[in-house]
Amino acid sequence: MHSFYSSHHGWLFGWLRKKLGCAHNAADVAQDTFVRIIASRDALLGVQEPRAYLTATAKRLMVDRARRQMIEQSYLAELALTMEQAEGYPGPEEILLAVEALEQISAALQSVAAKAREAFLLHYLDGRTHAEVAAALGVSTRMVGKYLVQVLVKCRLAQA
């Protein structure tokens, strides 16, 4: 088997490179061809024309590869179409904008007092009312309003 590989690999690689126009793909198909032949060792017994046998095996592998690529491309195209039509799922641009906004909010929250930060999180993340936030922090509802404004101003300044 070693002598068969040594004798014919260079020739098969050159033939595939001409056919495929790409050295990387040619190397892959050549390797796959020899792997397939090695897997069926009995097939080499009595082979009169080893190059014809190699090209026939390589051609079958190229057809299989082309079919797989067509299926993969069809799948990816269908997936892209599905994602475009899917409502409620953000696209990459929307995700990037959301992440940037969250980073700005995080920076703004780090620059305010702890009670202002807590008020913001309780109100906007937990959905608590001003009265509930005031009770949780032990301050007046008017102070809760001031805290929220303070954080929102910081967010606005971070955006500019």
Side-chain angles (χ1 to χ4, degrees):
M1 197 60 184
H2 177 69
S3 65
F4 180 76
Y5 181 87
S6 299
S7 300
H8 299 291
H9 181 267
W11 173 84
L12 180 63
F13 174 75
W15 183 81
L16 287 167
R17 189 175 50 198
K18 287 178 189 171
K19 282 281 195 194
L20 298 173
C22 173
H24 297 293
N25 288 337
D28 287 345
V29 174
Q31 188 66 29
D32 291 346
T33 301
F34 281 102
V35 167
R36 181 164 292 179
I37 290 171
I38 290 169
S40 61
R41 283 188 180 181
D42 295 339
L44 287 179
L45 298 175
V47 170
Q48 299 289 326
E49 298 290 329
R51 290 185 176 182
Y53 183 71
L54 285 169
T55 55
T57 303
K59 284 178 183 178
R60 279 188 237 114
L61 287 169
M62 287 189 299
V63 168
D64 290 347
R65 195 174 234 241
R67 280 190 197 129
R68 275 194 311 271
Q69 286 176 342
M70 276 183 17
I71 291 169
E72 182 180 328
Q73 291 302 320
S74 296
Y75 173 76
L76 291 174
E78 189 63 32
L79 184 61
L81 182 63
T82 301
M83 290 306 295
E84 286 176 8
Q85 296 174 346
E87 291 183 31
Y89 293 100
E93 298 86 13
E94 292 169 316
I95 292 171
L96 178 63
L97 289 173
V99 167
E100 288 174 351
L102 288 172
E103 288 173 349
Q104 290 173 348
I105 292 169
S106 176
L109 287 172
Q110 296 306 314
S111 67
V112 297
K115 283 197 175 188
R117 180 173 38 253
E118 187 68 21
F120 183 87
L121 295 173
L122 288 172
H123 181 68
Y124 288 106
L125 289 183
D126 293 345
R128 294 190 185 181
T129 65
H130 286 217
E132 292 172 332
V133 173
L137 296 178
V139 296
S140 68
T141 56
R142 186 167 181 195
M143 194 65 208
V144 169
K146 287 182 180 183
Y147 287 151
L148 295 177
V149 168
Q150 180 185 8
V151 175
L152 291 173
V153 167
K154 290 282 188 177
C155 287
R156 180 69 175 129
L157 291 174
Q159 187 179 18

